[in-house]
Amino acid sequence: MDESVRVHEREKPTLLKKAVDAVGEILLSLSYLPTAGRLTVVIAKAKSLVWTNGKTTADLFVKVYLLQDGRKIRKKKTSVKRDDTNPIFNEAMIFSVPAVVLQDLSLRVTVAESTEDGRDENMGHVIIGPEASGMGITHWNQMLATLRKPVSMWHPLRRT
């Protein structure tokens, strides 16, 4: 009997870790126009968001960072959506990116909470690009395979 309890205790942290890491999902659309060197990121909407620190409401926005070698080189953000666990943004962000450097870049999309004291508290993020894994690299590769056409995909948000 003691042995089965120990096995159960060993499994428990893994289950808790998965629940803690997932803080919602975000729907993004990516497209690249090579002739203009234009990368368009559309923040469509988010769903099933989990507030930080057990809050019941929050004012949210999305930050998109253009990364090169892990360094933030550009940043844009959406407007703030108030008290909505399933916010709809439908906001496009355009980055000027020459085709020759496209493979050296990644995107970090972060859902953040605007707090009363003026600080931003990050809820979760996703990395998209050649350095990403899973859905992040899949979405990037589909964008490159269908140039000039938007490619939409849901991404799980990981706690930052």
Side-chain angles (χ1 to χ4, degrees):
M1 186 165 172
D2 284 344
E3 202 171 306
S4 65
V5 170
R6 274 189 232 126
V7 169
H8 181 68
E9 286 174 355
R10 271 186 266 146
E11 291 173 0
K12 212 172 190 179
T14 306
L15 294 172
L16 289 173
K17 186 176 187 288
K18 285 181 183 175
V20 167
D21 281 351
V23 292
E25 293 179 77
I26 190 162
L27 179 61
L28 307 171
S29 172
L30 302 177
S31 63
Y32 185 69
L33 184 58
T35 52
R38 190 170 67 212
L39 173 63
T40 303
V41 181
V42 177
I43 309 300
K45 57 186 173 179
K47 68 178 180 182
S48 307
L49 296 176
V50 178
W51 308 126
T52 56
N53 303 325
K55 294 178 186 164
T56 55
T57 63
D59 297 337
L60 303 174
F61 64 96
V62 178
K63 298 183 279 191
V64 179
Y65 296 100
L66 190 61
L67 307 174
Q68 186 171 26
D69 300 322
R71 291 179 299 114
K72 298 170 185 172
I73 57 173
R74 288 197 192 89
K75 171 184 152 184
K76 298 192 179 199
K77 60 185 189 176
T78 67
S79 58
V80 174
K81 300 297 177 186
R82 305 208 181 280
D83 300 333
D84 192 349
T85 53
N86 300 295
I88 297 172
F89 294 96
N90 285 331
E91 294 185 38
M93 299 173 185
I94 298 169
F95 297 94
S96 292
V97 178
V100 292
V101 299
L102 192 61
Q103 277 304 320
D104 298 330
L105 302 177
S106 294
L107 297 166
R108 177 185 168 114
V109 179
T110 303
V111 175
E113 179 183 328
S114 181
T115 60
E116 292 164 3
D117 60 7
R119 293 181 309 110
D120 298 338
E121 193 169 320
N122 294 344
M123 290 178 61
H125 74 278
V126 62
I127 302 287
I128 300 168
E131 301 295 315
S133 59
M135 297 299 284
I137 194 165
T138 300
H139 196 176
W140 189 260
N141 288 338
Q142 283 186 5
M143 174 195 73
L144 294 176
T146 57
L147 296 173
R148 296 175 288 282
K149 293 180 183 166
V151 179
S152 297
M153 199 173 284
W154 282 100
H155 293 271
L157 292 165
R158 300 284 171 233
R159 193 173 296 284
T160 12

